[in-house]
Amino acid sequence: MAKQKAPLPVIRRRIGGVGLLRWAVRVASSIVLWTALLQLSTFFGLPLSPLRAARPSCIGNRNASATASAVTAVASDDVGDLAHPALPTRRSYKSNGYLLISCNGGLNQMRAAICDMVTVARYLNLTMVVPELDKQSFWADPSDFGDIFDVNHFIYSLRDEVKVIRELPQKFNGKVPLSMQPVSWSSEKYYLRQILPLVRKHKVIRFSRTDSRLANNGLPLRLQKLRCHVNYNALRFTPSIEALGNKMISSLRKTGSFVVLHLRYEMDMLAFSGCTHGCSGQETAELTRMRYAYPWWKEKEIDSEKKRLEGLCPLTPGETTLVLKALGFPRDTRIYIASGEIYGGEKRLAALKAEFPNIVSRS
Ligand SMILES: *[C@@H]1O[C@H](CO)[C@@H](O)[C@H](O)[C@H]1NC(C)=O
Ligand SMILES: *[C@@H]1O[C@H](CO)[C@@H](O)[C@H](O)[C@H]1NC(C)=O
């Protein structure tokens, strides 16, 4: 996610003209807010009508609820299409090998990666094994895929695209698969030219990192649609998580409208990105230490101000406050902070709290 923070440069570059600035702030902040809303709706697995309407290709050709109920009816045993006509018809193809993935990062990052990797598996005609989730990330979440997502639904709702299995066939027991990290932001052609020959040769390949490995732009529409289909249809939270989410949303709605703000101004983000604008010398040192402590964060020497000018830093809570005010949110707006612990704690949130006293933390 870190690499996609695009809105800031717009603000910075146009800082000269007040009209343009206002425009830029609006664009930037609506991105911030939509991201926040999207995060919340994805987190709770809820439909978000305006967003859905804006992405007809993601949902246009399927009736998710019909698929879902059919999948639930199937439970754990596979059955013929005749018995459950709403199930997608299984796509038949000759598999070129098996794809294992060890996702890395937080839940949202892993979710995006699963969408990418299903797409890669489909494109290369691979058989995909149910993803493994990251247990060593900053969040140290011990959950497995099946603790968070409905595995049956994942497998069955994708059967017209790609074959997904729970584990590698026995014949591969004891063999160590080829493990590698695909090059970040690669196009589909990279997978076809570089990865497919490797899978054909080794039969089983494991991607040990999956974050941002597939380009966002320039992919064939067919593949983009599949990504959306995975995100909006195939990846569905377990019934208990959905029930809790629905309960929370309905209780939030009881007290009227609200804003959910994903500030992404957490320690790991600032350490990773090197964005220390407004931090004390001590804080900067602490963030730098953390950056050096994570060997897989490749960039170590970072010029914070330069990075900010390039638009690669999160807005500070103070800047976000300006954006919300510019958008005209009234002072009594209820604001839920959706992110983790804000770096610098209360001190950093002071400006936001002064302008919007009705701030509620996630806890
Ligand atoms: C989807 O399918 C369900 C169950 O068959 C049906 O009740 C619903 O009206 C359908 N929705 C659309 C948009 O077709
Ligand atoms: C995948 O399978 C389809 C259908 O069998 C075939 O047309 C296509 O060429 C295959 N692609 C690869 C990369 O194997």
Side-chain angles (χ1 to χ4, degrees):
M1 285 282 126
K3 292 183 181 138
Q4 291 166 350
K5 302 263 183 235
L8 251 190
V10 187
I11 296 183
R12 301 287 308 192
R13 268 186 230 122
R14 314 228 175 198
I15 215 105
V18 172
L20 277 174
L21 174 64
R22 189 172 301 142
W23 170 83
V25 166
R26 290 224 164 119
V27 171
S29 47
S30 54
I31 292 169
V32 171
L33 293 172
W34 277 113
T35 312
L37 282 170
L38 181 61
Q39 293 255 348
L40 188 77
S41 76
T42 343
F43 181 75
F44 293 122
L46 289 179
L48 194 62
S49 331
L51 259 191
R52 293 201 150 209
R55 299 180 183 227
S57 65
C58 296
I59 49 149
N61 52 358
R62 282 165 207 274
N63 185 330
S65 72
T67 311
S69 51
V71 168
T72 313
V74 169
S76 59
D77 263 320
D78 203 347
V79 288
D81 298 341
L82 282 176
H84 293 278
L87 265 187
T89 311
R90 192 202 307 277
R91 174 173 164 249
S92 84
Y93 61 95
K94 186 177 162 295
S95 172
N96 288 318
Y98 294 88
L99 175 64
L100 301 169
I101 63 168
S102 302
C103 298
N104 63 291
L107 183 57
N108 207 35
Q109 202 169 24
M110 294 194 283
R111 184 181 182 116
I114 292 168
C115 301
D116 291 350
M117 292 304 145
V118 167
T119 304
V120 167
R122 166 66 175 80
Y123 186 59
L124 301 185
N125 291 345
L126 305 181
T127 304
M128 186 175 188
V129 178
V130 169
E132 289 164 25
L133 302 187
D134 194 340
K135 297 175 181 167
Q136 264 118 51
S137 74
F138 185 70
W139 290 271
D141 182 343
S143 308
D144 285 317
F145 184 90
D147 296 324
I148 295 181
F149 299 110
D150 183 334
V151 182
N152 284 333
H153 180 76
F154 183 70
I155 293 175
Y156 286 109
S157 62
L158 286 173
R159 53 186 243 148
D160 57 344
E161 299 284 1
V162 69
K163 182 165 186 186
V164 182
I165 56 176
R166 282 159 205 275
E167 47 194 29
L168 266 187
Q170 297 242 315
K171 62 180 173 181
F172 295 105
N173 278 359
K175 286 190 189 155
V176 182
L178 174 70
S179 190
M180 63 164 303
Q181 304 181 3
V183 173
S184 300
W185 307 107
S186 294
S187 77
E188 83 284 6
K189 295 193 183 67
Y190 160 83
Y191 288 93
L192 193 64
R193 290 176 194 151
Q194 313 278 321
I195 303 293
L196 185 58
L198 291 175
V199 192
R200 284 207 167 115
K201 183 165 167 222
H202 296 268
K203 295 288 171 269
V204 184
I205 197 166
R206 173 192 294 275
F207 290 158
S208 54
R209 293 182 75 74
T210 55
D211 59 317
S212 316
R213 303 289 143 172
L214 187 60
N216 277 341
N217 301 314
L219 292 183
L221 189 60
R222 163 103 196 55
L223 298 183
Q224 295 287 30
K225 282 187 178 177
L226 177 55
R227 255 181 173 163
C228 290
H229 171 55
V230 180
N231 192 36
Y232 291 98
N233 295 334
L235 281 175
R236 170 205 261 259
F237 289 114
T238 58
S240 58
I241 295 180
E242 287 222 340
L244 179 64
N246 288 335
K247 195 170 155 190
M248 285 172 76
I249 285 287
S250 61
S251 77
L252 288 178
R253 284 188 177 142
K254 272 185 199 133
T255 33
S257 51
F258 57 90
V259 171
V260 179
L261 198 56
H262 186 48
L263 287 166
R264 200 58 179 104
Y265 199 82
E266 295 124 319
M267 186 177 185
D268 69 304
M269 175 61 167
L270 301 181
F272 167 79
S273 62
C275 295
T276 55
H277 179 83
C279 293
S280 68
Q282 204 183 347
E283 287 171 330
T284 303
E286 183 182 44
L287 293 169
T288 308
R289 269 201 305 281
M290 183 178 184
R291 182 160 67 252
Y292 277 88
Y294 281 77
W296 53 89
W297 290 354
K298 296 205 182 82
E299 209 182 349
K300 300 296 181 193
E301 281 302 314
I302 297 177
D303 177 343
S304 171
E305 288 312 308
K306 186 162 166 269
K307 193 127 191 179
R308 233 171 102 77
L309 290 172
E310 285 167 359
L312 298 171
C313 289
L315 295 172
T316 65
E319 287 165 334
T320 305
T321 309
L322 291 179
V323 166
L324 291 173
K325 284 186 73 182
L327 280 169
F329 281 99
R331 191 178 156 76
D332 61 355
T333 304
R334 258 180 331 134
I335 299 182
Y336 290 95
I337 303 293
S339 37
E341 203 176 318
I342 304 303
Y343 189 62
E346 290 301 310
K347 182 182 63 162
R348 285 261 148 57
L349 280 177
L352 187 61
K353 277 195 168 146
E355 298 293 341
F356 298 97
N358 290 331
I359 287 193
V360 189
S361 78
R362 189 164 58 172
S363 55

